Amino acid sequence: MMIKNIEQKIRLATFISLGSFILCLCIVATISFFAYGYVRDSRKSIYILDPSGTPVMAKQTDVQLNRAAEYRAHIARFHSLFFSLVPDDKFIEYQMKQAMYMIDESGALQYNNLKEKGFFTSILSSSAVLTLRTDSIFLDEKKMYFRYYGTQKIDRRSSTITRSLITEGNLKDLETRSDNNPHAVLITRWKTLENRDILAQEKNAFQ
């Protein structure tokens, strides 16, 4: 009888010990989970100093939340560099160099084609000023495809020409950002679908 009681007590002590061990593991796991979440959230909060030296809390956001806006900004920036020009060969060279950081070889191919056709030479000879306005950008994030709609104005001494510009291409994410490509995006397979005159206005020669 005594031996049976001892066995029951040992069994009971074993169950209690095992239950306590499992309960401790659950408590530790729960605390670790909430502690990790707290540390993760705290890392998203940073403090910056305002002009008076007072620290102000700023909240870090997930990059992917604004990725569509970054894609559109990258597309608009590239087209502005490529199509907004002044009659200055050094400026044109600088613009093209900056634009080439944002696109693959399809950009260089189109640049060389325009160069061979004397497009940039005509800008210099006619003192033309080219400006580009972004009208809209269609973006399909799943297919990483875009279509750009813009209006280009070519202002020469004798006339002002307004042109409709439509291009399309694909996007490729890059691993790192840089000063020349702050959005870490590369435009690929870029081509012009339309670049036609929609309005031509002659200037008064006596003005």
Side-chain angles (χ1 to χ4, degrees), residues 127-151:
S127 298
V129 176
L130 283 67
T131 55
L132 181 69
R133 183 190 70 204
T134 299
D135 295 327
S136 65
I137 299 174
F138 169 77
L139 177 65
D140 188 334
E141 283 192 84
K142 291 184 179 180
K143 296 181 179 179
M144 296 294 280
Y145 167 84
F146 74 88
R147 181 168 289 189
Y148 177 91
Y149 298 88
T151 302

Side-chain angles (χ1 to χ4, degrees), residues 1-16:
M1 188 71 180
M2 185 179 296
I3 295 176
K4 187 175 181 180
N5 289 337
I6 292 174
E7 289 178 349
Q8 290 177 347
K9 290 180 180 180
I10 293 174
R11 190 179 295 110
L12 178 61
T14 302
F15 287 149
I16 292 175

